[in-house]
């Protein structure tokens, strides 16, 4: 049954919309994660001696590329998207570390900057790809924009 406010109510309370302090928890967690990642990047870039520098910078190094990859993989189910984004983030971080070690230019600041630039490039490429699809008039769900017509044979 529905109340006048549009909430669904059952006898045991299941299916009711959440009200109260826990209703916007996902937005709060996203904001906290963004703040933690930004703090970690900032602490690493200014070479702070804070004990939070290491954990927060590591969080940034995982979260920034994972977010960019998750945006690019919008079509997957949420759990598969999470696993693929985290695996891609670890692979990207290892690629940056290996490249920096190969050219003997290892630095924490350089690693943070490289991961930031690569993450932004992934986001930019995803944005350009999605914008190109909509500009061509391609429906959002269509991959190629082609339409197919089935023709019936005619009697001659």
């Amino acid at each position: 049954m529905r109340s006048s406010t549009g909430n669904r109510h059952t006898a045991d309370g299941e299916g009711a919309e959440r009200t109260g302090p826990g209703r916007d928890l996902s937005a709060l967690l996203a904001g906290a994660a963004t703040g933690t990642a930004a703090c970690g990047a900032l602490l690493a870039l200014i070479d702070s001696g804070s004990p939070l520098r290491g954990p927060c910078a590591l969080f940034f190094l995982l979260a920034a590329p994972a977010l960019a990859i998750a945006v690019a993989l919008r079509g997957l189910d949420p759990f598969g998207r999470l696993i693929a984004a985290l695996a891609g983030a670890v692979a990207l971080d290892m690629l940056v570390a290996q490249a920096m070690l190969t050219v003997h230019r290892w630095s924490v600041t350089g690693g943070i900057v490289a991961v930031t630039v690569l993450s932004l490039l992934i986001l930019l490429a995803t944005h350009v790809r999605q914008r190109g699809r909509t500009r061509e008039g391609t429906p959002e769900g269509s991959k190629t924009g082609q339409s197919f017509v089935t023709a019936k044979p005619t009697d001659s």
Side-chain angles (χ1 to χ4, degrees), residues 90-117:
V90 169
L92 184 81
D93 290 340
M94 289 178 15
L95 178 73
V96 167
Q98 184 65 40
M100 291 176 75
L101 288 172
T102 300
V103 297
H104 303 289
R105 297 288 181 198
W106 172 255
S107 72
V108 175
T109 305
I112 295 286
V113 169
V115 168
T116 303
V117 167

Side-chain angles (χ1 to χ4, degrees), residues 18-35:
R18 292 178 60 177
T19 57
R23 69 178 177 260
D24 290 329
L25 189 59
S26 62
L28 178 67
L29 289 176
T34 302

Side-chain angles (χ1 to χ4, degrees), residues 29-112:
L29 289 176
T34 302
T36 303
C39 181
L42 182 66
L43 288 174
L45 289 174
I46 64 172
D47 202 23
S48 171
S50 171
L52 293 176
R53 174 184 170 195
C56 291
L58 180 62
F59 182 74
F60 172 78
L61 289 173
L62 286 174
L67 174 70
I69 293 169
V71 169
L73 298 176
R74 193 172 291 187
L76 292 178
D77 65 304
F79 184 68
R81 194 163 124 185
L82 173 72
I83 297 300
L86 286 175
V90 169
L92 184 81
D93 290 340
M94 289 178 15
L95 178 73
V96 167
Q98 184 65 40
M100 291 176 75
L101 288 172
T102 300
V103 297
H104 303 289
R105 297 288 181 198
W106 172 255
S107 72
V108 175
T109 305
I112 295 286

